[in-house]
Amino acid sequence: MGVLETHLREVRDGGRKAFAPYVTGGFPGVDASLLRDLVTAGADAIEVGIPHSDPIMDGGVVQEASRVALEAGTHPSDVLAVIAEADVDVPVAVMTYANIVRGPGPGTFCAEAAAAGVSGLIVPDLPVDEAAELEALAAPLGLDVVLLAAPGSAPARYAAIGAASHGFVYCVATYGVTGAREELSATAREVVEAVRPHTDLPLLVGVGIATPAHAVAACAFADGVIVGSAIVARLLEEDRDGLLALAASFHEAIGRT
């Protein structure tokens, strides 16, 4: 059990709901100071994206942030350097894609991430059937490989994901890519309820958590939320204060559930 899983279990077992904001590494302003300020705003964990040119899970907002970061010359090592400099006292997970992990080799990627203080890896295009190698390399370094559970999966697949994931299970709230929705999809509850019998890991809902009200609704049945596009939209607007105020409002809202 790595730091990410240990911490999120403590949050859950203490009767609280977890708030995990996402930011795109390499985007202007996503620096060590911002990560520290997200902790002050109430983050229980932070997800930092390592940008990729073909972010198949991400909608327009995160795609645009990734484009800007890549055009600025961002390399995975730059993102890891910011995480290391921030040295925050909550777990940091990186979210990226399999080609980024395979580039230097999974073992090298894991070693570099662990050395930077990363405690979780989220690789959306790495299915449970192909995760064993990365998990075997990551676990001895204290890295939890977080798997995603999507709507419409077969019961056996939910069982496999629950058994193989570490840290938490990322419960995808809706069909499609990341991005704001007008309301929380009913499939969010369906995914959580389908995974719950197969694991005692914390279950966090992400994708389409656009407002504090959505987060409160999700936390009625899940153990916490991941908020990405709503946060990154403030980055695109160059509204750092607004970003932190929004993060604080999510934290406050789920603290009342």
Side-chain angles (χ1 to χ4, degrees):
M1 188 186 304
V3 171
L4 176 64
E5 182 173 328
T6 299
H7 182 71
L8 291 179
R9 283 181 180 275
E10 289 174 352
V11 170
R12 181 194 62 190
D13 297 346
R16 297 193 296 114
K17 303 294 185 176
F19 166 54
Y22 166 95
V23 291
T24 301
F27 189 87
V30 179
D31 52 19
S33 175
L34 180 66
L35 299 189
R36 295 185 194 114
D37 285 346
L38 283 170
V39 177
T40 302
D44 296 293
I46 300 173
E47 184 181 342
V48 180
I50 297 178
H52 179 46
S53 58
D54 187 21
I56 58 174
M57 182 180 172
D58 296 313
V61 170
V62 177
Q63 284 185 24
E64 176 62 11
S66 295
R67 181 193 67 79
V68 171
L70 289 171
E71 289 188 356
T74 298
H75 186 274
S77 61
D78 301 321
V79 179
L80 296 179
V82 168
I83 294 169
E85 180 186 352
D87 191 25
V88 293
D89 59 2
V90 303
V92 176
V94 292
M95 194 285 276
T96 194
Y97 292 89
N99 281 349
I100 299 294
V101 175
R102 292 181 181 132
T108 298
F109 182 88
C110 287
E112 292 176 350
V118 172
S119 56
L121 304 178
I122 304 170
V123 187
D125 56 343
L126 181 71
V128 62
D129 322 76
E130 301 173 13
E133 178 190 6
L134 183 60
E135 291 175 336
L137 293 166
L141 298 170
L143 294 170
D144 288 326
V145 176
V146 176
L147 299 180
L148 287 79
S153 297
R157 194 161 191 84
Y158 286 131
I161 291 166
S165 193
H166 298 275
F168 65 94
V169 178
Y170 191 130
C171 297
V172 179
T174 188
Y175 296 96
V177 296
T178 64
R181 286 5 183 231
E182 291 186 2
E183 60 185 22
L184 182 68
S185 174
T187 52
R189 181 187 288 271
E190 293 171 11
V191 172
V192 170
E193 291 181 347
V195 176
R196 184 79 73 185
H198 304 294
T199 183
D200 67 347
L201 286 172
L203 306 183
L204 274 60
V205 171
V207 181
I209 307 294
T211 67
H214 291 171
V216 170
C219 286
F221 51 84
D223 300 311
V225 291
I226 302 157
V227 181
S229 294
I231 297 288
V232 175
R234 300 301 193 278
L235 286 175
L236 296 179
E237 296 165 359
E238 301 181 6
D239 184 7
R240 188 180 191 280
D241 291 343
L243 183 159
L244 293 171
L246 180 62
S249 70
F250 273 102
H251 168 71
E252 181 182 1
I254 66 174
R256 297 194 299 266
T257 58

